[in-house]
Amino acid sequence: MTARFLETVFTPAVLAAQAANGSREAFTHRLGADGPDRIGEPEAAFIGARDSFYLASVTETGWPYMQHRGGPPGFVKILDPATIGFADFRGNRQYISLGNASADDRVALFFMDYARRARLKLLGRMRAVDAGSDPDFVALLSDAGYKARVERAFVISVEAFEWNCSQHITPRFTAADLAPSVHAMRARIAELEAALAERDAAAGGPAG
Ligand SMILES: Cc1cc2nc3c(=O)[nH]c(=O)nc-3n(C[C@H](O)[C@H](O)[C@H](O)COP(=O)(O)O)c2cc1C
């Protein structure tokens, strides 16, 4: 938990809730940030391995709005320790995140690694860079070969991040995570089937 993260989300109402529930003192020694958080090696490696995340923006009417964003692993790029970005693919053309960020640039990103039961929350300020206005920059954030039409890049200035604990995260695995184990199991089954067939053949036919 970084001091910057806590200071950003500890609003007066949150502080009052902590006071009412007896936890306010528990955090006072963790405050005292000297500036926005900077992406380090653990955050860069974690973000760089993700194939999806959840993006929260704020509507002009104050509602939280959450959208799932996906792409090839590593589609969210670390531009420098203070900046990350990703390509915005053409989708349902509602442009809610785009519109929200144009009115209020504050966003939250939620990265999950279910297999390793780890998660990272990141707060930042998001701006759009249109593919027409800066094609080279948008190309830098796009992954060649990925089947999607990139309309723009979203660039996020990092404000703060927080690693969460693993409690209550059920491990889940993608097909790619499981592929090596499934491959090994299939090879072993084939080996056993071959051995059985050989034994049956030696005994003059299948047992039964
Ligand atoms: C044809 C098409 C239809 C889609 N329909 C939906 C939808 O109904 N709901 C949704 O949440 N995402 C949908 N998506 C994915 C979103 O368009 C995509 O995630 C996009 O980034 C939405 O951004 P926004 O929520 O900021 O407007 C669709 C994508 C495509 C290609």
Side-chain angles (χ1 to χ4, degrees), residues 93-115:
R93 311 199 70 200
Q94 292 179 356
Y95 301 113
I96 301 172
S97 306
L98 177 66
N100 284 349
S102 73
D104 183 338
D105 63 359
R106 292 173 300 173
V107 290
L109 285 72
F110 196 93
F111 298 94
M112 287 292 299
D113 180 348
Y114 288 98

Side-chain angles (χ1 to χ4, degrees), residues 37-50 53 72-87 109 111 120 122 137 140-143 154-158 161 163:
D37 288 338
R38 292 292 165 251
I39 300 278
E41 176 49 37
E43 292 77 32
F46 190 78
I47 293 168
R50 303 278 65 77
F53 70 95
F75 77 110
V76 182
K77 320 277 186 219
I78 312 296
L79 299 172
D80 61 58
T83 321
I84 64 174
F86 64 96
L109 285 72
F111 298 94
L120 179 69
L122 188 144
F137 180 74
L140 188 75
L141 289 177
S142 308
D143 291 278
F154 277 128
V155 180
I156 295 145
S157 303
V158 176
F161 55 76
W163 290 96

Side-chain angles (χ1 to χ4, degrees), residues 185-206:
M185 246 187 302
R186 283 200 178 130
R188 182 67 182 139
I189 289 168
E191 207 176 271
L192 293 171
E193 282 176 344
L196 269 180
E198 208 174 299
R199 197 192 65 177
D200 290 347

